[in-house]
Amino acid sequence: MHPASPPPDRSGLDALLRNRPFLALWTGQLLAQVADKIFYVLLIILLKTGDYRPWPVSWQHSENSMLSAVMIAYTVPAIVFGSAAGIVVDRFSKKQMLIACNVIRAALIVALPFLPKAFVVLLTMTFLISTVTQFFAPAEQAAIPLTVGREGLMSANALFASSTMGGIIVGMTIGEPLFSWVKHSFGAASQEFLLGGLYLISAGLIYAMQIKEGHAGSSGKNVHPWQDLKEGLRYLKHNHLVSNAMVQLTILYSVFAALQVLAIALSGKIGLKETQFGFLLAAAGVGMVFGAAFLGHWGHRMHHKPLPLIGFLMMGFVLAMFAFTRQLWVGFGLSALFGFGASLINGPMQALIQEKTPESMRGKVFGLENNAINIALSLPLAITGPVTDAVSQAVGSNDKGLRIVLLSLGFLVSVMGMAAWKHTRKVLQDAL
């Protein structure tokens, strides 16, 4: 499927930034990413200041239990509905799906101030909003090839990855002060109206995206979710190029999840407050932007080069060096190098999946990919903190414990990268 307005022959960032359909999709998803993270902040604010009645009653004085329950309601849909969302996406227009997701999320959030102040209501609304979000990700990934030509896929995916990181950082950073200002100026309900407005603006930007899509022919047929899921799994089983690229991405996001946990303690070691760990992650986002520029301008010269292997070795080196870093500027530089290495994995692998997957299968494949990544994210987030605490207690020092974990993780990432490339290079090398 060719894009409605193909970019110029060059595949760099300058070509992407002149591509109006791509710009509409990119800015729309970036705003939606920021809104997603601001919603996360809003949940915490509502729990602490919204006077929600606890349920069950035994949680009357247990804010931590209520917060944990909300976080579970926020994350479970990513694991439960990730694959099913991809099946639905294949049956409808990607553009219409993206717009619908934003409009529904806006409506649910705006409805919050008018609903009973019961914790079970907040829990239900969180679950519903998170469920709708699961349909946005595969539709977004499936829409990227419709806005850029084949030569622009690598740099487009690198730019999407870096902007996703930027959206997380911006959303987490501005959420609390923005809500405080809006609430003070316009009243409590204005928080929800502001957030709903961000989703509506995102929907408007995506509405302006002019693309040509194939007919969603299967949307008119009988729906067989289980058969569709098996079809997607069967496709991955027989298409080793796509499945092996997905393995590389799953490993990448697992490493990123571990870094998110370790960045809190690491920030305190390099001169930042631990609450300012977002600046360290922001430096990784800057590195990913440079990686996107590199792939956009010189990616065509890197054919048959083991970019994923280079990326994993670079990330492993950075993690090991973090163990000995005590200067702020060195920490920021290493974090940027980490992001650059990540872009060498994410850009090529995501581009391969999009290029080699037929349009009729993209929703299923990206739904399965989204599911695998969410599961991969959960394990490091759950074990990295406790493992670091256990090691620190064993050696009797938090500093030494963190150093041991960083060195071990750096070695493990390098080994995993080499092992993954060894098992996949015969399939991936000719395609890179």
Side-chain angles (χ1 to χ4, degrees):
M1 179 60 60
H2 298 288
S5 301
D9 292 337
R10 289 177 296 172
S11 58
L13 290 181
D14 54 344
L16 290 177
L17 296 178
R18 289 196 301 269
N19 182 344
R20 291 185 178 181
F22 173 81
L23 275 179
L25 177 63
W26 179 53
T27 53
Q29 71 85 30
L30 178 58
L31 195 58
Q33 286 280 354
V34 173
D36 287 343
K37 300 312 166 188
I38 292 180
F39 173 62
Y40 185 91
V41 175
L42 178 63
L43 288 176
I44 299 174
I45 293 174
L46 291 177
L47 278 177
K48 293 186 176 296
T49 64
D51 298 323
Y52 278 88
R53 296 189 300 276
W55 180 86
V57 180
S58 58
W59 287 1
Q60 183 70 41
H61 301 290
S62 183
E63 285 188 359
N64 289 331
S65 296
M66 294 172 68
L67 180 60
S68 295
V70 168
M71 292 304 102
I72 291 172
Y74 186 80
T75 55
V76 163
I79 298 174
V80 176
F81 298 112
S83 299
I87 294 171
V88 175
V89 165
D90 273 338
R91 297 180 178 275
F92 297 94
S93 160
K94 311 301 180 290
K95 177 178 176 178
Q96 292 176 3
M97 180 67 69
L98 291 169
I99 294 172
C101 287
N102 280 331
V103 171
I104 293 172
R105 287 186 289 186
L108 290 172
I109 290 170
V110 169
L112 270 174
F114 306 101
L115 297 175
K117 295 289 186 178
F119 177 64
V120 66
V121 172
L122 183 62
L123 206 63
T124 302
M125 295 297 284
T126 301
F127 182 85
L128 291 175
I129 292 168
S130 181
T131 298
V132 175
T133 301
Q134 305 317 308
F135 293 83
F136 190 90
E140 168 201 308
Q141 289 294 331
I144 294 175
L146 302 176
T147 65
V148 300
R150 178 182 180 275
E151 70 282 354
L153 280 176
M154 189 179 294
S155 52
N157 280 287
L159 188 58
F160 261 74
S162 57
S163 63
T164 296
M165 176 66 71
I168 293 172
I169 296 164
V170 170
M172 291 294 192
T173 303
I174 71 172
E176 192 278 331
L178 184 61
F179 283 135
S180 296
W181 174 76
V182 169
K183 183 177 181 180
H184 180 265
S185 302
F186 304 101
S190 58
Q191 298 177 127
E192 289 83 353
F193 280 95
L194 170 66
L195 185 53
L198 291 178
Y199 281 118
L200 289 179
I201 295 173
S202 174
L205 289 168
I206 294 172
Y207 179 79
M209 177 179 66
Q210 299 298 320
I211 58 173
K212 294 179 181 178
E213 299 189 59
H215 296 291
S218 58
S219 62
K221 300 179 182 179
N222 293 329
V223 179
H224 300 289
W226 180 242
Q227 284 81 354
D228 285 348
L229 178 60
K230 290 194 294 184
E231 182 183 357
L233 292 171
R234 189 162 49 246
Y235 177 81
L236 291 177
K237 180 180 179 181
H238 294 292
N239 193 316
H240 297 292
L241 177 63
V242 174
S243 58
N244 287 332
M246 197 177 294
V247 168
Q248 307 270 3
L249 288 172
T250 303
I251 297 174
L252 169 63
Y253 280 95
S254 297
V255 178
F256 250 118
L259 179 64
Q260 288 181 42
V261 177
L262 295 173
I264 298 174
L266 186 59
S267 297
K269 305 298 181 184
I270 63 174
L272 293 172
K273 297 178 181 178
E274 291 192 350
T275 55
Q276 295 176 319
F277 70 95
F279 291 107
L280 199 60
L281 296 178
V286 172
M288 295 184 76
V289 172
F290 279 104
F294 171 80
L295 291 172
H297 287 283
W298 291 287
H300 63 283
R301 302 180 184 178
M302 306 298 291
H303 286 303
H304 308 303
K305 298 296 189 297
L307 293 179
L309 175 60
I310 296 171
F312 279 119
L313 292 177
M314 194 176 292
M315 292 167 66
F317 169 78
V318 168
L319 289 168
M321 289 300 98
F322 269 144
F324 306 101
T325 301
R326 292 297 179 269
Q327 293 178 301
L328 184 61
W329 67 270
V330 176
F332 282 157
L334 286 172
S335 186
L337 187 61
F338 183 94
F340 188 93
S343 69
L344 298 183
I345 305 166
N346 185 82
M349 295 300 97
Q350 201 67 265
L352 279 178
I353 296 174
Q354 291 168 343
E355 179 185 340
K356 302 300 181 181
T357 303
E359 184 180 349
S360 61
M361 291 293 298
R362 283 176 186 156
K364 301 180 187 69
V365 169
F366 288 121
L368 289 168
E369 177 191 335
N370 192 40
N371 214 12
I373 287 174
N374 280 310
I375 293 173
L377 285 170
S378 301
L379 184 60
L381 287 173
I383 69 173
T384 302
V387 167
T388 304
D389 289 340
V391 174
S392 298
Q393 291 178 3
V395 299
S397 168
N398 290 337
D399 190 33
K400 289 182 179 179
L402 178 62
R403 180 174 298 178
I404 291 172
V405 170
L406 285 168
L407 286 170
S408 301
L409 184 59
F411 175 76
L412 180 62
V413 169
S414 300
V415 170
M416 289 171 63
M418 289 186 288
W421 179 251
K422 179 180 179 181
H423 287 93
T424 60
R425 72 178 179 209
K426 290 182 179 179
V427 178
L428 294 177
Q429 196 164 27
D430 291 339
L432 291 175

